[in-house]
Amino acid sequence: MFDIAGIYRAASLDDALRAYAADPQAVVIAGGTDVLIKIREGKLAGCRLLSINGLAELRGIRLADNGDILIGPLTTFAEAEHSELLLKRLPMLAAAAGSAGGPQLREAGTLGGNICNGVTSADTAAVQLALEAGLTLRSADKQRRLAIAEWYKGPGQVDLRAGELLTEIRIKKDAYVGWGGEYIKYAMRNAMDIATLGCAVAVRLSEDKKRIAEARLAFGVAAPTPMRALQAETALAGMTIAEARERIAALVRAEINPRTSWRASREFRMQIAGESAARALAAAVKRAGGEC
């Protein structure tokens, strides 16, 4: 049994926003893969739930007329994993969604929930950072947009204000067209496990496909929040592919700040971060049309 005071099932997005404005202490629940665990553990005992799970308007993946990819936050991991649009245009995101938990979790858990919980181990968070996702947030009386780089405020903390819901994740055309990307998750098990470390690399090559024109490197569990290795990205720009492969591990290790936990030591995470970055770079280069 779950100890809850009550649940309100929203009939539409506007209905959900009105209900949330009237009861800002309510706990929003979508797939429930995080919230229900917290209730069972007693962390949210006696809470009131606002369910947005049935809102079809917040689900789905589509290509906008301008080439941007729009993702509803209630899109499940399984839907993202098997999306023909993502498999064709953003295979890195489809792969990250497919690496989350097990089949049961992927059928229920959502891409929006994966970043709204604020945890550094979220599989799609690093990829969304590497793709420079834009987020749309709505409350009953206003709407605002921000880049995912501004989203994370601390461990388990995101810039989600009272009465706000995440209503859209947008990947701009310029963030993926002409780019290659790869996500590598290291975990203690091949399935049903959270990441010991996650690494997402996206690259755009020079016209002759011999050099790194731009790179984006994003990590989970390499810092208190999902992070970009911005200094490493700057250093890699202009390098030959061979030089980038040789130097990326050291550049990454100089910038990340993982911690020791029961899953892995700081030193181990440093090692696999560098190795994962080098392997992800090689795969991203190939997807961008280069040789590695």
Side-chain angles (χ1 to χ4, degrees):
M1 295 293 291
F2 292 97
D3 182 5
I4 61 173
I7 181 169
Y8 181 79
R9 294 178 175 86
S12 66
L13 176 57
D14 287 341
D15 184 36
L17 294 173
R18 285 193 297 268
Y20 207 8
D23 186 7
Q25 300 304 313
V27 175
V28 176
I29 184 169
T33 56
D34 289 316
V35 170
L36 292 178
I37 290 173
K38 291 179 181 178
I39 294 174
R40 186 181 64 193
E41 292 175 344
K43 296 176 182 177
L44 294 174
C47 68
R48 297 180 301 280
L49 296 178
L50 169 59
S51 174
I52 60 172
N53 184 258
L55 304 187
E57 58 203 293
L58 295 184
R59 194 182 300 274
I61 303 169
R62 66 182 180 89
L63 185 67
D65 292 340
N66 65 356
D68 292 355
I69 294 177
L70 310 181
I71 303 171
L74 294 188
T75 301
T76 66
F77 292 116
E79 289 167 341
E81 177 186 7
H82 300 294
S83 163
E84 291 185 7
L85 178 59
L86 293 189
L87 288 169
K88 179 180 179 180
R89 297 176 184 262
L90 289 178
M92 176 170 61
L93 182 54
S99 74
Q104 298 93 335
L105 180 140
R106 292 196 294 274
E107 289 291 340
T110 65
L111 267 63
N114 202 221
I115 59 173
C116 283
N117 63 22
V119 299
T120 186
S121 58
D123 287 299
T124 67
V127 173
Q128 291 188 53
L129 275 171
L131 293 170
E132 297 187 328
L135 309 179
T136 299
L137 304 151
R138 280 188 58 186
S139 62
D141 59 356
K142 66 179 66 175
Q143 175 176 291
R144 65 188 178 103
R145 292 184 173 90
L146 77 163
I148 195 170
E150 305 171 285
W151 178 241
Y152 293 97
K153 298 300 181 183
Q157 300 175 2
V158 296
D159 188 12
L160 190 61
R161 300 173 185 173
E164 280 187 336
L165 296 175
L166 173 64
T167 58
E168 182 183 85
I169 300 166
R170 179 183 292 261
I171 311 297
K172 291 186 177 180
K173 178 181 178 180
D174 291 345
Y176 73 89
V177 171
W179 290 73
E182 180 76 0
Y183 176 70
I184 293 178
K185 172 180 180 174
Y186 184 95
M188 297 172 69
R189 299 192 300 260
N190 289 332
M192 300 291 290
D193 202 359
I194 66 172
T196 300
L197 186 125
C199 171
V201 175
V203 296
R204 185 176 64 82
L205 301 180
S206 59
E207 288 189 12
D208 63 5
K209 306 297 183 183
K210 302 296 185 183
R211 293 181 177 272
I212 306 295
E214 292 182 75
R216 303 193 204 109
L217 315 177
F219 295 88
V221 210
T225 65
M227 63 163 287
R228 286 266 298 269
L230 298 174
Q231 295 175 32
E233 293 176 5
T234 299
L236 289 169
M239 285 187 187
T240 64
I241 292 171
E243 184 182 9
R245 284 199 67 183
E246 182 179 344
R247 294 189 57 191
I248 189 171
L251 290 169
V252 164
R253 290 173 185 142
E255 193 167 353
I256 63 175
N257 184 31
R259 69 182 180 95
T260 292
S261 72
W262 68 269
R263 291 183 180 275
S265 67
R266 169 185 168 84
E267 292 74 18
F268 183 67
R269 285 193 168 102
M270 293 284 281
Q271 174 63 29
I272 59 175
E275 181 65 26
S276 296
R279 294 184 183 187
L281 175 70
V285 164
K286 290 181 180 178
R287 283 186 169 165
E291 295 183 3
C292 207

